[in-house]
Amino acid sequence: MTDCVFCNIINKTIPSQPVFENGNLLVINDINPKAPVHLLVVPKKHINGIHTLAAGDEALAGELIFVAKQMAEKFGVGESGYKLVFNVGRDGGQVVPHLHLHLLGGRQLAE
Ligand code: 5GP
Ligand code: ZN
């Protein structure tokens, strides 16, 4: 998807400095961080969001969560705790229509 910001980060049209990458996903720092640690776990496959996950995407969805857990440890919030957030669709506050998992930590995030 050439007009998708995260696809363009993944295909390197937009330069970025991923903090982690494997064959299925990329982890980047959020450009507008809401917490001392604010990472985005982004699948390389373009999926609009949780609402368009399809049969066959189960393992990828699980991998996003597992890698987020690993990143929390790597970035020092594994013990203090953190929040994992999928914003879904308009009412969910999703702005970028490419599936991503927010990892937020390093401050109190309870509401
Ligand atoms: P959403 O509301 O869609 O769940 O969140 C999208 C997130 O992507 C926002 O937190 C926003 O700051 C972040 N973001 C938007 N554009 C870019 C970008 O070009 N690079 C990075 N690293 N983050 C972005
Ligand atoms: Zn995309």
Side-chain angles (χ1 to χ4, degrees), residues 7 19 21 24 26-28 31-32 36 44 46 50 53 55 60 72 74-75 79 81 91-92 98 104 111:
C7 280
V19 299
E21 181 171 7
N24 297 323
L26 200 68
V27 183
I28 55 175
I31 202 170
N32 182 23
K44 291 187 173 178
H46 181 92
I50 288 287
L53 277 179
L60 180 59
K74 180 174 178 178
F75 286 86
E79 292 290 324
D91 284 357
H98 180 129
L104 298 134
E111 291 173 6

Side-chain angles (χ1 to χ4, degrees), residues 72-85:
E73 291 165 0
K74 180 174 178 178
F75 286 86
V77 297
E79 292 290 324
S80 52
Y82 49 92
K83 193 166 279 203
L84 299 180
V85 178

Side-chain angles (χ1 to χ4, degrees), residues 27-28 30 34-41 64 67-75 77-78 81-86 100-106 109:
V27 183
I28 55 175
D30 195 291
K34 302 285 196 299
V37 175
H38 188 172
L39 301 175
L40 302 172
V41 186
L64 297 180
V67 168
K69 177 251 188 200
Q70 292 181 314
M71 292 300 107
E73 291 165 0
K74 180 174 178 178
F75 286 86
V77 297
Y82 49 92
K83 193 166 279 203
L84 299 180
V85 178
F86 287 107
H100 52 280
L101 175 57
H102 294 258
L103 164 59
L104 298 134
L109 289 152

Side-chain angles (χ1 to χ4, degrees), residues 1 4-8 10 45-47 97-98:
M1 298 252 316
C4 170
V5 61
F6 288 169
C7 280
N8 283 325
I10 288 155
K45 176 183 177 184
H46 181 92
I47 297 170
H98 180 129

